[in-house]
Amino acid sequence: MKIAELELRTISLPLVRPFRTSFGTQIAREVLILKLTTDDGTVGWSECVALPQPLYSPEYVAGALDLMRRFLIPTLFQAGDIRAESVAPLLAPFLGSPMAKAALESALLDAQLRLENRSLADFLGASKAKIPCGVSVGIAPSIPLLIEEVSGYIADGYRRIKLKIEPGWDIDPVGEVRRTWPEIPLQVDANQAYSRGDGELLAKLDQFELLLIEQPLDEHDILGHALLAKQVHTPICLDESITSLRSAEDALALKATTVINIKPGRVGGYLEAVKIHNLCLNSGIPVWCGGMLETGIGRAANVALAALPGFTLPGDTSASSRFYHQDITEPFVMEDGYLAVPQSVGIGRVPHLDFLDSVTSHKETIRI
Ligand code: SMG
Ligand code: MG
């Protein structure tokens, strides 16, 4: 299979409500959508999960676009006959940027599977036809407004609630949600907002019987997470720190994490994500599928991944309506707290082209 053409477009989709985290507020999703065409005319779609600003990770939309244009795409073109499995080794000399690399690998994988008449779920090794859904809840303007927002998600049927926290927005809001819903599976995500000295404060969360505390410290502070894990009973779960299979092996060996959030974009693609899943499955470490506010394109692939047997905790795999009034694909609609795993070829979704065009702010095509 040869890549004949790559279409890169930036789209902007307004969010149904602002999404505030410890590092900033997103009001729209500016996202890079890739359309790859092979030499026999087969098309594959993907999205790059980099945010517009380098705040969650060093990658950002305009940077990813530049890197793809300047280095990554020419390298794939030069390689001639390739498969999705060759993308990571070919792009390895270019350091970092797992999200940009993942987007290219995913687009090629979608095309490859369409050519082979196979679904991504089948290719990855999915063992479930539907997956339970969690929802990630941003930092709210007040505790009553938080309770109101969470009430809506509980009414929608979500099976797990994740609350974003930061210093000053932690014990009180989490306590109020726990008091209101004593039984709901609940977890928190700090996006690196705390420091090593905050162990005593974070241990106050133990009383709320949370599933986990996600990424409390700096992404590079593996030792700090290991020390914190001795101070806090709630399991520590790494997100930003896990950028590859090797970093997962290291964090587990150093006892810095006992649960892992797998985000394919953060680790360089679905193939690396499966390797981390396999490592964790063999080590008895639960994993769950993270989210980056994906459109239906990225969400379709995440839902397939989340159907693998080691994904034993509900992920941030919510319905399209959690973030978007209108998705660029047929929307993901939750039924009784579950999403159906797409079973048709490739990722099982394609964009609605008229709508995609209507939200596109930039489009370019690179040909061999
Ligand atoms: O897609 O449901 C989603 C978002 C989940 O909270 C979420 N993602 O750190 O896990 C995380 C964040 C990263 C993106 S925040 C803008
Ligand atoms: Mg996170």
Side-chain angles (χ1 to χ4, degrees), residues 277-296:
H277 160 271
N278 294 347
L279 165 77
C280 292
L281 188 60
N282 293 329
S283 324
I285 295 292
V287 302
W288 54 282
C289 185
M292 292 295 294
L293 302 83
E294 283 87 350
T295 71

Side-chain angles (χ1 to χ4, degrees), residues 38-311:
T38 65
D39 55 350
D40 70 357
T42 307
V43 167
W45 292 92
S46 74
E47 85 180 76
C48 176
V49 298
L51 298 180
Q53 319 85 359
L55 296 174
Y56 164 81
S57 77
E59 292 187 84
Y60 59 101
V61 174
L65 194 58
D66 184 72
L67 183 80
M68 286 184 197
R69 213 190 259 140
R70 207 183 282 268
F71 300 106
L72 306 186
I73 294 173
T75 302
L76 297 183
F77 280 160
Q78 271 161 28
D81 219 5
I82 61 170
R83 292 180 58 80
E85 291 82 348
S86 356
V87 171
L90 281 166
L91 301 183
F94 303 107
L95 304 178
S97 298
M99 294 173 175
K101 292 173 178 175
L104 288 164
E105 182 194 270
S106 303
L108 188 60
L109 183 57
D110 186 35
Q112 182 173 312
L113 292 171
R114 286 176 195 276
L115 210 57
E116 294 170 358
N117 200 21
R118 196 173 177 193
S119 72
L120 180 66
D122 178 53
F123 173 81
L124 296 178
S127 60
K128 291 166 255 185
K130 59 176 189 174
I131 54 144
C133 300
V135 61
S136 177
V137 186
I139 293 167
S142 68
I143 292 181
L145 287 171
L146 174 70
I147 297 297
E148 191 183 309
E149 185 178 347
V150 173
S151 300
Y153 297 136
I154 300 224
D156 291 342
Y158 283 103
R159 299 196 164 245
R160 184 228 76 210
I161 302 291
K162 156 168 144 181
L163 302 178
K164 291 286 187 183
I165 58 168
E166 66 179 2
W169 181 262
D170 41 37
I171 313 302
D172 291 346
V174 176
E176 198 52 36
V177 170
R178 178 45 91 213
R179 274 186 286 282
T180 313
W181 295 280
E183 307 291 337
I184 187 84
L186 186 63
Q187 64 192 51
V188 294
D189 184 2
N191 289 109
Q192 319 182 51
Y194 293 85
S195 43
R196 282 195 189 182
D198 289 325
E200 224 168 281
L201 168 68
L202 292 170
K204 290 189 187 153
L205 292 169
D206 286 342
Q207 61 186 306
F208 306 128
E209 296 190 46
L210 305 178
L211 290 167
L212 55 93
I213 302 176
E214 186 180 341
Q215 197 70 45
L217 310 180
D218 183 272
E219 63 171 321
H220 299 112
D221 196 3
I222 302 303
L223 175 61
H225 283 100
L227 295 171
L228 188 64
K230 292 186 183 161
Q231 278 181 285
V232 175
H233 289 298
T234 309
I236 304 291
C237 169
L238 291 180
D239 171 0
E240 287 91 324
S241 298
I242 307 297
T243 52
S244 61
L245 173 65
R246 181 175 296 171
S247 64
E249 285 169 341
D250 290 354
L252 290 175
L254 295 168
K255 300 197 185 325
T257 192
T258 48
V259 184
I260 291 183
N261 164 335
I262 300 184
K263 284 182 187 161
R266 200 195 59 226
V267 303
Y270 287 86
L271 304 179
E272 188 81 357
V274 171
K275 291 182 192 164
I276 298 174
H277 160 271
N278 294 347
L279 165 77
C280 292
L281 188 60
N282 293 329
S283 324
I285 295 292
V287 302
W288 54 282
C289 185
M292 292 295 294
L293 302 83
E294 283 87 350
T295 71
I297 293 293
R299 195 166 299 275
N302 283 354
V303 169
L305 180 71
L308 268 65
F311 285 80

